[in-house]
Amino acid sequence: AYNQMLDKIHSLIKEQYELKLAKTQSELEALQSQINPHFLFNTLNSIKSATYDSTPEKARLMIQALSDLMHYSLGHGKYIVSFAEEIATAQKYLYLQNYRFRNRYSIKYDIEDAVMDLEIPRLIIQPLVENSIKHGLEHVTQNGLLIITAKLIDKHVYIYVANNGSRIPTEKLNILNKKFSDFTASTSFSHENIGLMNVCYRLQLHYPNNFGMEMTSTEKFTTTKLVIPAKLYISKTQNECEETP
């Protein structure tokens, strides 16, 4: 009877774990479906603005970049990617934005080689870049600057997306940081910060109580900082090869 009771307890624990895993998976899928149309809408607007005076070759390159972005965005159930894949996608997004804003800002990358093969949730950096452009650099007419930084420090990846555009008022900044630190499924947020909150929610699902997200805004730069655990990325193909006898 004692052994039967232990078996029953183990069975219940496994069942609860599987239910929680399924719930997390469905939440991730819901969040991903939320950001996909948002992502597409803004990118299509960029292409529309740029194609009025573009040559056919430029239009072809832009459509190819959009195709690559959408393929990556859809993901097909792939929620973890390498940092190298993620930053390449952010670069394609910025390639499209440069046409829209006629090179009104420059882009600087400061990324350690050690970070490139680490894992990161898919579509984490691009929404931060999009937010920097929309709320920071959109109204800059010249000498704008966007900086993407990634460092490996004490077994964590530190990611910074900074811009020298419009400063965020202190009151609004405090509200955002409060939401980041106390984020739950019931946290309310407006359409204008849907990308940031989507990122925060997905990080909470991937790294419960083991990540950091914060924004700062000074006279020189507005910066979004992410801190996530450093873990080597292993693709599904690699896993399958390693498990094959």
Side-chain angles (χ1 to χ4, degrees), residues 16-132:
Q16 287 299 312
Y17 173 77
E18 289 175 347
L19 284 171
K20 184 177 180 181
L21 201 63
K23 180 176 182 291
T24 300
Q25 186 80 358
S26 65
E27 286 178 336
L28 283 168
E29 289 174 358
L31 286 165
Q32 198 61 60
S33 67
Q34 180 188 63
I35 204 169
N36 282 340
H38 179 72
F39 177 86
L40 178 60
F41 175 79
N42 286 291
T43 308
L44 283 174
N45 268 340
S46 297
I47 291 180
K48 182 187 74 174
S49 299
T51 51
Y52 286 124
D53 56 355
S54 292
T55 64
E57 178 60 17
K58 286 183 179 180
R60 185 190 69 78
L61 291 172
M62 293 174 72
I63 291 170
Q64 181 60 57
L66 175 60
S67 175
D68 293 342
L69 286 170
M70 288 310 302
H71 183 267
Y72 184 83
S73 176
L74 292 171
H76 306 294
K78 186 180 178 182
Y79 297 104
I80 295 292
V81 296
S82 69
F83 188 92
E85 291 177 86
E86 181 70 5
I87 197 66
T89 297
Q91 289 172 327
K92 287 179 181 177
Y93 177 79
L94 285 166
Y95 169 78
L96 290 171
Q97 293 299 321
N98 261 343
Y99 277 103
R100 178 184 174 189
F101 292 102
R102 299 294 192 273
N103 299 307
R104 282 186 285 168
Y105 58 86
S106 57
I107 305 158
K108 180 181 177 182
Y109 298 93
D110 182 13
I111 299 171
E112 290 184 347
D113 290 340
V115 171
M116 299 300 278
D117 292 327
L118 299 180
E119 70 171 35
I120 185 172
R122 184 168 52 87
L123 280 178
I124 292 297
I125 296 177
Q126 183 275 330
L128 304 187
V129 170
E130 182 177 319
N131 187 76
S132 285

Side-chain angles (χ1 to χ4, degrees), residues 2 5 29 42 44 107 202 211 221:
Y2 176 76
M5 181 184 71
E29 289 174 358
N42 286 291
L44 283 174
I107 305 158
R202 286 188 287 133
F211 79 97
F221 287 98

Side-chain angles (χ1 to χ4, degrees), residues 1 10 16 28 31 35 37 60 64 72 78 84 91 95 119 141 154-155 158 164-165 167 175 179 200 204 207 235:
H10 289 153
Q16 287 299 312
L28 283 168
L31 286 165
I35 204 169
R60 185 190 69 78
Q64 181 60 57
Y72 184 83
K78 186 180 178 182
Q91 289 172 327
Y95 169 78
E119 70 171 35
T141 57
D154 297 331
K155 297 182 180 180
Y158 285 71
N164 66 346
R167 186 177 180 181
I175 292 172
K179 289 181 177 181
C200 188
Q204 179 64 41
Y207 311 109
S235 69

